[in-house]
Amino acid sequence: MNHQSATANVSGRHFLQERMMLSEQEYLAQYDASRYASPIVTVDSVLFSLWQEQLCVLLVKRANHPQKGWWGLPGGFVDMQQDATTRDTALRKLREKTSVDPAWLEQLATFSGADRDPRGWSLTTAWYALIAAETCKAVSDDVSDACWQPIEGMAQRTDIAFDHQHIITEALIRLRQKTLYSLLPVHCLPAEFTLTQLQQVTELILARPVQRKSLIRRFEASAMFEETGESVATGARRAKLYRLKPGSDMHNFSRNLMVED
Amino acid sequence: MNHQSATANVSGRHFLQERMMLSEQEYLAQYDASRYASPIVTVDSVLFSLWQEQLCVLLVKRANHPQKGWWGLPGGFVDMQQDATTRDTALRKLREKTSVDPAWLEQLATFSGADRDPRGWSLTTAWYALIAAETCKAVSDDVSDACWQPIEGMAQRTDIAFDHQHIITEALIRLRQKTLYSLLPVHCLPAEFTLTQLQQVTELILARPVQRKSLIRRFEASAMFEETGESVATGARRAKLYRLKPGSDMHNFSRNLMVED
DNA sequence: GAAATAGTGTCTTTTAGACAGTATCGG
DNA sequence: CCGATACTGTCTAAAAGACACTATTTC
């Protein structure tokens, strides 16, 4: 085997490599994602708030097909130009409806399947969020396509699009679970709030009374809040106002409030 | 206005409806999902088990681009023909590697973004699973592309594809959290197991000792298990064997084992 | 001062932590 | 009988439940 044939051999191998063993860069240069069939990808959010003394979610009357005219969760397609992640998609869609960012936004789960959307095999990454209803004027004031609808009776409704009823149920389960071991419900309240308000949201979320004393003990132990110095008169003795300490994370307790039924 | 013109009017309106106000059926008939650009959709699983006295995850040497030769999670594209949901995709991909279904499989979260896969804007629904390593022969016996790799040191590795290191970290956080308030670790054990084995998995997952007495109290309180009647000799006094009671769900305790650091 | 709402004190209950004590086995 | 592993008893500790009590405000 002379030098010439060895070189030929090497370049022959190199040629093979180009055909059968592409480099990473070559592979990526020729890759075209649009050649492959792929599910319909959307993002939906379950936005909770307190509205008219009730725990509500924000629903939107669907302006377009499919399921035009039905009530659905605020959401839509990922915009690969605008959105860095599906979290951005969720925030963008919520901002369109409320004109502000929610105080809390966390991923719930991804729901998928061939039957959940009549357009075909689809997948939605669902988020759940909390906001103080009074901070988003757009929703509460306008005669709009988006409005707060009570959680109570939600499971019996027949005018909810896709599997959004199921997603709302799962979001409520998650919100209730978190309420048992954190003070998450504060994010349904305005920036300054009283302990009584916190107790009320907590009771509305859990749909049962909670011991005020237990709540106060947790409130103090969390070290998440500070007095504003102000107080409000809600009938009799004035109630102290509290706010979130800047930069404090949600505290998780190591045991649940009340044992589940 | 005679009968003739009224009819013309109606069919004129109907024509308008076809152009501007499609019915749901008409809309669906003309809908073509493939016209819209959409993210790359995959499913990945973090399969945990006990192997050689260590908590391990199943990693697969990537046979194809991108990131060929790197270690990644078992997973892949959704097959819209075969898979009813992404759960089926996860199970199918795990079965290919282990030839059995995991004892536990639960959705972790969905990770998305423009940068996590070099092919473009992508989204993966990640699951985490538990299995007894001894039940899946294919993995442990063969010189295969899939093998158990210890969790310890995983965060320092530089040979893990995509954001799979991050996904593994999140899965471990979730597994540890669940271990604090349930007996989930039993699903890393064979169908019949001793309390000492359960204690060992629990300690490996949490990376710290647990009070055997606390574990036994929970074991009994859960009512999830029954004695097999058999026992095994592991050196000295024989240890009783237990199995999951058929049809029993995972019990969640209302407080955590040990307070987090 | 009565009524109402806000907030505190304190005893009980539940369940984990700690660890000493007993049981069963092989040698 | 010794050592080792499996299992139990029981006291302590932490935090929630229950509820009576005090404080502040309006009328």
Side-chain angles (χ1 to χ4, degrees):
Chain A
M1 191 192 280
N2 61 26
H3 181 260
Q4 188 68 25
S5 69
T7 310
N9 223 351
V10 166
S11 70
R13 241 190 292 128
H14 187 226
F15 179 75
L16 254 176
Q17 232 171 22
E18 278 183 6
R19 302 298 304 274
M20 301 176 61
M21 298 180 68
L22 294 167
S23 78
E24 179 93 3
Q25 285 185 335
E26 286 163 339
Y27 165 81
L28 290 173
Q30 61 85 56
Y31 186 84
D32 174 17
S34 66
R35 282 184 312 181
Y36 302 98
S38 122
I40 296 164
V41 176
T42 56
V43 173
D44 289 296
S45 297
V46 185
L47 181 62
F48 289 100
S49 195
L50 211 57
W51 188 69
Q52 293 187 342
E53 322 273 272
Q54 285 195 291
L55 181 65
C56 292
V57 291
L58 187 74
L59 291 185
V60 179
K61 195 151 204 164
R62 293 184 59 79
N64 300 306
H65 289 300
Q67 315 219 354
K68 192 170 166 174
W70 294 44
W71 292 98
L73 294 170
F77 293 93
V78 171
D79 180 330
M80 293 191 274
Q81 258 69 52
Q82 279 190 68
D83 306 330
T85 66
T86 56
R87 167 176 267 269
D88 290 339
T89 312
L91 282 171
R92 183 166 55 80
K93 290 291 176 182
L94 286 174
R95 207 150 35 211
E96 286 174 13
K97 299 299 170 196
T98 65
S99 72
V100 285
D101 285 357
W104 182 266
L105 177 67
E106 190 182 330
Q107 197 179 309
L108 174 63
T110 294
F111 300 85
S112 62
D115 302 327
R116 53 174 301 280
D117 185 317
R119 288 169 293 192
W121 216 105
S122 68
L123 173 155
T124 192
T125 296
W127 297 71
Y128 76 101
L130 306 180
I131 205 166
E134 35 288 74
T135 64
C136 36
K137 296 273 158 49
V139 173
S140 39
D141 292 355
D142 302 1
V143 178
S144 142
D145 61 333
C147 68
W148 295 112
Q149 305 206 5
I151 274 293
E152 207 185 317
M154 189 62 72
Q156 283 72 248
R157 290 177 61 168
T158 55
D159 57 346
I160 311 288
F162 310 117
D163 56 353
H164 289 187
Q165 214 161 19
H166 177 230
I167 296 174
I168 293 167
T169 303
E170 293 295 308
L172 181 60
I173 289 170
R174 178 83 135 259
L175 175 59
R176 283 188 171 150
Q177 202 49 50
K178 287 238 169 192
T179 299
L180 292 178
Y181 65 81
S182 76
L183 297 172
L184 199 56
V186 285
H187 287 126
C188 290
L189 299 176
E192 304 198 345
F193 59 91
T194 67
L195 283 168
T196 300
Q197 284 179 294
L198 178 56
Q199 182 176 3
Q200 282 165 351
V201 213
T202 306
E203 291 182 337
L204 282 167
I205 289 170
L206 296 174
R208 74 176 103 170
V210 301
Q211 290 280 333
R212 183 184 178 86
K213 181 73 187 183
S214 300
L215 208 61
I216 292 176
R217 276 193 290 235
R218 287 185 158 209
F219 191 80
E220 287 170 356
S222 76
M224 288 169 57
F225 307 96
E226 59 189 11
E227 294 185 19
T228 66
E230 307 289 301
S231 64
V232 281
T234 49
R237 177 173 172 177
R238 301 179 71 80
K240 282 185 193 162
L241 281 171
Y242 295 88
R243 73 166 84 87
L244 247 179
K245 259 189 223 165
S248 66
D249 291 333
M250 183 57 61
H251 180 84
N252 291 331
F253 300 93
S254 66
R255 54 194 283 194
N256 285 353
L257 209 58
M258 69 202 9
V259 176
E260 50 275 21
D261 292 312
Chain B
M1 193 193 279
N2 62 26
H3 183 262
Q4 188 69 24
S5 71
T7 310
N9 222 352
V10 165
S11 70
R13 242 192 291 129
H14 188 225
F15 178 75
L16 254 178
Q17 232 171 23
E18 278 184 5
R19 302 298 303 276
M20 302 176 61
M21 299 179 67
L22 294 167
S23 77
E24 178 93 3
Q25 285 184 336
E26 286 163 339
Y27 165 82
L28 289 173
Q30 61 86 55
Y31 185 86
D32 175 18
S34 68
R35 281 184 314 180
Y36 302 97
S38 121
I40 296 162
V41 177
T42 57
V43 173
D44 289 297
S45 297
V46 184
L47 181 62
F48 290 99
S49 195
L50 212 57
W51 188 69
Q52 292 187 341
E53 322 273 271
Q54 285 194 289
L55 180 65
C56 292
V57 291
L58 187 73
L59 291 185
V60 179
K61 195 151 204 165
R62 293 185 58 79
N64 299 306
H65 288 300
Q67 314 218 356
K68 190 168 166 176
W70 295 45
W71 292 97
L73 294 170
F77 293 93
V78 171
D79 180 330
M80 295 191 274
Q81 258 69 52
Q82 278 190 71
D83 307 328
T85 65
T86 56
R87 167 176 267 268
D88 290 340
T89 311
L91 281 171
R92 182 167 54 80
K93 290 291 176 179
L94 286 174
R95 207 151 34 212
E96 285 174 12
K97 299 299 169 195
T98 66
S99 73
V100 284
D101 286 356
W104 182 266
L105 177 66
E106 189 182 331
Q107 198 180 307
L108 175 63
T110 294
F111 301 84
S112 62
D115 302 327
R116 54 173 301 281
D117 185 317
R119 288 169 294 190
W121 216 107
S122 68
L123 174 157
T124 192
T125 296
W127 297 70
Y128 76 101
L130 305 180
I131 204 167
E134 29 297 65
T135 64
C136 36
K137 297 273 159 48
V139 173
S140 41
D141 291 357
D142 300 4
V143 178
S144 143
D145 61 334
C147 67
W148 295 111
Q149 305 205 5
I151 274 292
E152 207 184 315
M154 189 62 72
Q156 283 70 248
R157 288 178 63 168
T158 55
D159 56 346
I160 310 287
F162 310 117
D163 55 354
H164 289 187
Q165 215 162 17
H166 178 230
I167 296 175
I168 293 167
T169 303
E170 293 294 309
L172 182 60
I173 289 171
R174 178 83 136 260
L175 175 60
R176 283 189 171 148
Q177 202 50 50
K178 288 237 169 193
T179 299
L180 291 179
Y181 64 81
S182 76
L183 296 171
L184 198 57
V186 285
H187 286 126
C188 290
L189 299 176
E192 305 198 345
F193 59 91
T194 66
L195 283 170
T196 299
Q197 284 179 295
L198 178 56
Q199 182 176 4
Q200 282 165 352
V201 212
T202 305
E203 291 181 339
L204 282 168
I205 290 171
L206 296 176
R208 73 177 103 169
V210 301
Q211 290 280 334
R212 184 186 178 87
K213 181 71 189 186
S214 300
L215 209 61
I216 293 176
R217 277 192 290 236
R218 290 186 157 208
F219 192 80
E220 286 171 357
S222 76
M224 288 168 57
F225 307 96
E226 59 190 11
E227 294 185 18
T228 66
E230 306 289 302
S231 64
V232 281
T234 50
R237 178 171 170 179
R238 301 179 71 81
K240 283 185 193 164
L241 281 170
Y242 296 89
R243 72 166 83 87
L244 247 179
K245 259 188 223 167
S248 67
D249 291 333
M250 185 56 61
H251 180 83
N252 291 331
F253 300 93
S254 66
R255 53 195 282 198
N256 285 352
L257 210 56
M258 68 202 12
V259 176
E260 49 277 20
D261 292 313

